[in-house]
Amino acid sequence: MFSSSDYGTTSWELIIRVDHQYEEEQKEFTLRVSGDLHIGGVMLKLVEQINIAQDWSDFALWWEQKHCWLLKTHWTLDKCGVQADARLLFTPQHKMLRLRLPNMKTVRLRVSFSSVVFKAVSDICKTLNIRRSEELSLLKPSDDFLKKKKKKERNNREPIIEDILNLDNSLTISGSPASPGLYSKTMTPIYDPVNGTPVSSTITWFSDSPLTEQSCNILAFSQPSRSPETLAEMFQPQSLVDKAKLNAGWLDSSRSLMEQGIQEDEKLLLRFKYYTFFDLNPKYDAVRINQLYEQARWSILLEEIDCTEEEMLIFAALQYHISKLSLSAETMDFTNESEVDEVEAALSNLEVTLEGGKTENILEDITDIPKLADYLRLFRSKKLTLKTFKQYWFVFKDTSIAYFKNQDLEQGEPLERLHLRGCEVVPDVNVSGRKFGIKLLIPVADGMNEVYLRCDNENQYARWMAACILASKGKTMADSSYWPEVNNILSFLKMKNRNTSSQTPSDPECMDMKPECFVSPRCAKKYKSKQLAARILEAHQNVAQMSLVEAKLRFIQAWQSLPEFGLTYYIVRFKGSKKDDLLGVSYNRLIRIDIATGDPITTWRFANMKQWNVNWEIRQVAIEFDQNLSIAFTCRSADCKIVHEYIGGYIFLSTRSKDQNETLDEELFHKLTGGQE
């Protein structure tokens, strides 16, 4: 009943539906309100009318027509633009969501549907004990992925019961080892207050994580491999266009889940979106390292990234080694002293590496610019010609390579000087065939020049390859990362080296391993099972002494060394062009790629970028570079906001430093990725 004073000229009826967790159907309530009533007052009136005693603090108003939350409770209805025809829903801000992690494990947890995705992912990562949440985001599975899954479900007579790790119930647990008092901001060793034994650093890194030790084991240790049949039924991209489709579903980090049409209990993929992994620390990143390894592993198995057969066998050997160690009881103990000692030693070595070691002649290191000089063979790519290499004397200094007819002519004018800043560096290696090549794609005004260099042995290749990689980023061999890069290349070559003098693996071990689980289905078809097992076990001998963490990190490192690593593809049309091209987005550059051949056409580096923005009316991304160079393109395979956010996100991540003490400038992220909407 309303009194006569309620029926003033400025008051009107507002209908609000209530999404009550204990009721199957939503109930409608009618309130008499006026335009000067604030949102908080509307919710107060509504709760009084509902007259049910419960905690309503997580509830907020959702405006269905405008597709937005009314979270500014001090704003009036007039200021929000709410009138009598508005359809409002009073609903909880936190709802259940199913997330498929990189290791293909599904977790079910409560997530904020009203916070922007950037903040929601941060909260999810806190729950899962994954540091550096800014590297991850949420992805809607592509239509192809879902079609293949539905087809699989139709073919199976029995319904598939999904194994889900439910993290909802544990959110309210208090007094666990992960209580706020044990939170370690400074990364010092942490001890259980009850029995005095060391507590897992990973468990206690986040104070409010609901993970139990058992749940953490599920996320931090590699799960048993899927059967070859399951692997064959999963979606595998057949072309670069298919790979571009996989990246169309990234959610907008500046909007909430509800605003992007995500439903309660919907399944999304949690993935590492940006391929710059900052401060990977084995002591605190057990879950992060394992999930990163799993994402790398599945990208190899499903051929989302290309690799040679030789590399596939190395990845298979590392997977086999990791699966063996993960199943052994000793490695499941977080507080194993040898593991702690091993990690401490690794961190100690890392510290020396980062500081560049102790050196007597510091001044000499600063003033002396290193150079490489040696005989190499060269081939310049031309159409309809055989690949014939010719020997020259090469000198590598700063970020350029000069070559001469012979060593005696080094002081004169070179035959040519190749400037490598901004070039693409691609390994062209076959260790068993003693082929150590470097393919250089050097940007020029009308596209890319292809140059092939051929080295004589592993050591020469490692030094020149490392120098080329650094030069492409604008760094010289004086940079502290040069020698670690050389060593990484050498260690990867060593893994590839087939040790023919070693004993042939035993038949029982060959039969026990199920080799098809460790390679892509296409690779598995080339060999009989026994042959494949023998080749994997042969490669395994080069990695058999590695610890679990070392093997995972080495797998990630090998993945990072692949030519296609870190490239995210989108189908675009450049301004002035009549056909579609592929755009490859990497951590430091954009690459225009021919959609038919897959060949790079030209490269633009972020370091030369002056500004970028989006014309929202025609959905066009425009980028301006140094030297009055500008490009513009529309996106054909995804919303232009996704591509724009990728570019801004990588630039944001390049601003991180260890001094930040885990805090992130969220405002800067949205400024760089928002596109000034």
Side-chain angles (χ1 to χ4, degrees):
M1 293 291 291
F2 294 104
S3 66
S4 57
S5 61
D6 288 330
Y7 288 94
T9 54
T10 57
S11 69
W12 35 274
E13 286 187 345
L14 182 64
I15 298 172
I16 302 175
R17 287 184 299 117
V18 176
D19 187 9
H20 200 286
Q21 57 184 327
Y22 302 116
E23 301 279 346
E24 283 190 16
E25 289 186 11
Q26 295 171 346
K27 286 187 177 178
E28 283 189 357
F29 291 85
T30 303
L31 302 182
R32 179 144 296 266
V33 297
S34 59
D36 59 358
L37 181 63
H38 52 71
I39 298 296
V42 173
M43 292 195 293
L44 187 63
K45 263 191 169 190
L46 179 62
V47 169
E48 286 173 353
Q49 193 168 325
I50 294 170
N51 197 25
I52 296 176
Q54 72 165 61
D55 182 3
W56 296 97
S57 60
D58 189 45
F59 279 65
L61 291 171
W62 167 256
W63 190 353
E64 292 184 2
Q65 295 108 313
K66 296 281 187 181
H67 225 59
C68 69
W69 288 94
L70 301 177
L71 298 175
K72 293 178 178 173
T73 52
H74 59 286
W75 279 27
T76 62
L77 292 173
D78 282 344
K79 190 171 182 180
C80 292
V82 175
Q83 295 177 342
D85 61 346
R87 293 200 306 271
L88 300 184
L89 175 67
F90 193 50
T91 184
Q93 296 174 64
H94 289 78
K95 302 175 188 290
M96 296 307 295
L97 193 67
R98 287 177 298 146
L99 292 179
R100 193 171 199 184
L101 305 183
N103 67 345
M104 300 297 176
K105 185 79 182 172
T106 300
V107 297
R108 192 167 180 268
L109 70 171
R110 200 168 291 280
V111 177
S112 172
F113 273 57
S114 62
S115 300
V116 295
V117 165
F118 186 84
K119 178 71 170 63
V121 170
S122 175
D123 293 340
I124 290 166
C125 288
K126 216 168 191 182
T127 301
L128 300 177
N129 284 335
I130 300 174
R131 293 193 309 138
R132 305 292 176 188
S133 63
E134 66 275 12
E135 295 169 359
L136 298 94
S137 193
L138 298 174
L139 180 68
K140 274 191 97 166
S142 69
D143 291 339
D144 295 302
F145 175 87
L146 294 170
K147 280 176 195 167
K148 192 133 189 181
K149 194 166 183 191
K150 283 174 185 171
K151 186 180 176 184
K152 178 185 168 185
E153 286 170 358
R154 279 200 306 269
N155 293 342
N156 284 329
R157 291 176 186 175
E158 294 179 17
I160 297 169
I161 301 169
E162 192 173 22
D163 181 22
I164 296 177
L165 177 64
N166 198 329
L167 298 180
D168 181 42
N169 297 335
S170 48
L171 282 167
T172 55
I173 295 171
S174 58
S176 65
S179 60
L182 286 172
Y183 180 75
S184 169
K185 194 70 177 173
T186 55
M187 291 194 179
T188 51
I190 310 154
Y191 296 89
D192 190 295
V194 179
N195 56 25
T197 57
V199 178
S200 158
S201 307
T202 305
I203 292 285
T204 54
W205 172 246
F206 297 112
S207 59
D208 53 356
S209 171
L211 284 182
T212 61
E213 192 92 2
Q214 183 183 5
S215 299
C216 191
N217 282 355
I218 292 170
L219 302 183
F221 285 94
S222 185
Q223 301 299 299
S225 299
R226 301 286 180 100
S227 68
E229 294 76 28
T230 307
L231 198 60
E233 287 170 345
M234 296 174 79
F235 175 69
Q236 294 156 51
Q238 302 297 313
S239 64
L240 289 174
V241 172
D242 284 349
K243 292 178 184 181
K245 289 177 185 174
L246 290 174
N247 299 308
W250 289 109
L251 296 190
D252 186 339
S253 296
S254 303
R255 295 163 65 213
S256 69
L257 291 170
M258 198 93 157
E259 287 169 326
Q260 298 181 68
I262 304 301
Q263 303 296 316
E264 184 169 8
D265 218 33
E266 189 171 333
K267 182 188 274 191
L268 297 176
L269 312 179
L270 179 70
R271 293 288 183 268
F272 288 88
K273 178 179 180 180
Y274 298 102
Y275 294 90
T276 50
F277 314 122
F278 188 69
D279 186 28
L280 270 181
N281 188 323
K283 193 172 183 181
Y284 297 92
D285 288 330
V287 177
R288 183 180 172 211
I289 288 171
N290 185 61
Q291 295 299 327
L292 191 50
Y293 156 71
E294 289 284 354
Q295 185 161 326
R297 181 169 85 93
W298 283 104
S299 71
I300 299 288
L301 292 176
L302 300 177
E303 296 190 273
E304 291 171 9
I305 184 169
D306 291 337
C307 66
T308 65
E309 193 175 296
E310 194 174 47
E311 288 162 343
M312 180 70 78
L313 291 170
I314 290 298
F315 287 122
L318 283 165
Q319 286 178 71
Y320 174 60
H321 185 62
I322 289 164
S323 68
K324 275 179 70 176
L325 292 180
S326 298
L327 289 171
S328 65
E330 293 79 22
T331 56
M332 298 301 279
D333 182 8
F334 268 107
T335 59
N336 185 308
E337 285 183 24
S338 63
E339 280 286 320
V340 175
D341 292 342
E342 201 174 273
V343 169
E344 290 293 348
L347 289 175
S348 174
N349 291 338
L350 183 63
E351 196 176 338
V352 171
T353 306
L354 291 173
E355 290 173 358
K358 292 181 181 176
T359 179
E360 304 273 328
N361 50 354
I362 294 171
L363 189 61
E364 187 184 328
D365 285 349
I366 294 169
T367 56
D368 181 45
I369 298 172
K371 77 170 188 177
L372 286 174
D374 212 339
Y375 278 108
L376 302 175
R377 282 163 293 155
L378 170 84
F379 167 73
R380 273 191 163 286
S381 181
K382 294 173 187 171
K383 286 182 181 178
L384 304 173
T385 58
L386 294 171
K387 197 182 273 190
T388 51
F389 286 85
K390 197 171 179 182
Q391 184 169 283
Y392 295 98
W393 178 255
F394 283 81
V395 176
F396 198 131
K397 196 161 187 179
D398 291 331
T399 58
S400 64
I401 296 176
Y403 63 93
F404 307 82
K405 202 166 185 180
N406 56 51
Q407 185 176 356
D408 299 334
L409 300 174
E410 185 183 330
Q411 301 308 318
E413 276 294 308
L415 293 170
E416 189 180 12
R417 191 178 296 277
L418 307 171
H419 296 281
L420 302 191
R421 187 189 289 263
C423 78
E424 298 297 310
V425 184
V426 183
D428 183 23
V429 175
N430 185 325
V431 177
S432 55
R434 305 301 296 163
K435 173 186 167 188
F436 303 103
I438 302 169
K439 180 181 173 184
L440 300 172
L441 297 163
I442 302 167
V444 289
D446 58 344
M448 307 280 270
N449 273 346
E450 273 188 36
V451 177
Y452 292 82
L453 303 180
R454 186 66 64 82
C455 301
D456 293 328
N457 53 54
E458 291 97 329
N459 289 322
Q460 188 186 53
Y461 169 78
R463 292 198 306 273
W464 284 81
M465 184 66 176
C468 290
I469 290 169
L470 262 65
S472 72
K473 301 173 185 175
K475 297 177 181 178
T476 70
M477 286 176 282
D479 192 89
S480 61
S481 62
Y482 173 68
W483 284 109
E485 186 69 44
V486 172
N487 292 329
N488 286 344
I489 293 167
L490 282 171
S491 66
F492 192 36
L493 291 177
K494 188 181 176 186
M495 285 194 294
K496 286 184 177 183
N497 196 16
R498 293 176 67 183
N499 195 348
T500 51
S501 62
S502 304
Q503 285 185 316
T504 308
S506 61
D507 280 351
E509 197 171 3
C510 285
M511 291 177 70
D512 187 45
M513 75 178 299
K514 294 182 182 172
E516 296 85 2
C517 299
F518 302 111
V519 296
S520 67
R522 190 160 57 93
C523 182
K525 287 174 186 173
K526 291 184 180 180
Y527 297 97
K528 290 180 180 176
S529 184
K530 198 170 179 180
Q531 288 175 323
L532 188 58
R535 292 202 65 181
I536 292 171
L537 289 170
E538 188 182 354
H540 177 251
Q541 292 167 25
N542 291 324
V543 301
Q545 303 307 312
M546 291 181 187
S547 69
L548 183 59
V549 173
E550 187 187 354
K552 285 181 185 176
L553 290 173
R554 189 58 60 88
F555 191 102
I556 294 165
Q557 195 180 75
W559 176 51
Q560 289 174 304
S561 73
L562 295 176
E564 258 191 65
F565 169 76
L567 277 176
T568 307
Y569 299 104
Y570 289 98
I571 300 169
V572 300
R573 180 165 294 187
F574 281 88
K575 190 176 179 180
S577 176
K578 292 183 178 178
K579 66 182 185 72
D580 291 345
D581 284 306
L582 278 171
L583 183 74
V585 184
S586 182
Y587 75 96
N588 62 352
R589 68 202 189 281
L590 299 173
I591 308 171
R592 184 176 182 176
I593 300 165
D594 188 295
I595 202 166
T597 64
D599 294 333
I601 299 169
T602 190
T603 297
W604 304 279
R605 301 193 80 79
F606 292 160
N608 303 327
M609 195 186 290
K610 287 167 72 177
Q611 65 173 27
W612 70 101
N613 54 59
V614 179
N615 182 331
W616 294 107
E617 288 182 15
I618 56 174
R619 315 298 287 179
Q620 186 181 75
V621 180
I623 308 172
E624 197 177 314
F625 296 92
D626 293 338
Q627 301 173 338
N628 297 321
L629 173 67
S630 60
I631 61 170
F633 55 83
T634 52
C635 303
R636 315 282 278 187
S637 63
D639 191 277
C640 63
K641 173 66 167 69
I642 295 176
V643 180
H644 182 275
E645 186 176 305
Y646 246 117
I647 296 168
Y650 271 126
I651 290 168
F652 170 75
L653 295 184
S654 70
T655 66
R656 293 182 295 180
S657 70
K658 289 201 173 183
D659 302 334
Q660 288 176 325
N661 200 21
E662 305 293 316
T663 56
L664 279 175
D665 188 345
E666 191 176 334
E667 190 180 334
L668 177 63
F669 175 83
H670 293 302
K671 188 178 177 183
L672 290 171
T673 59
Q676 300 169 355
E677 284 189 77

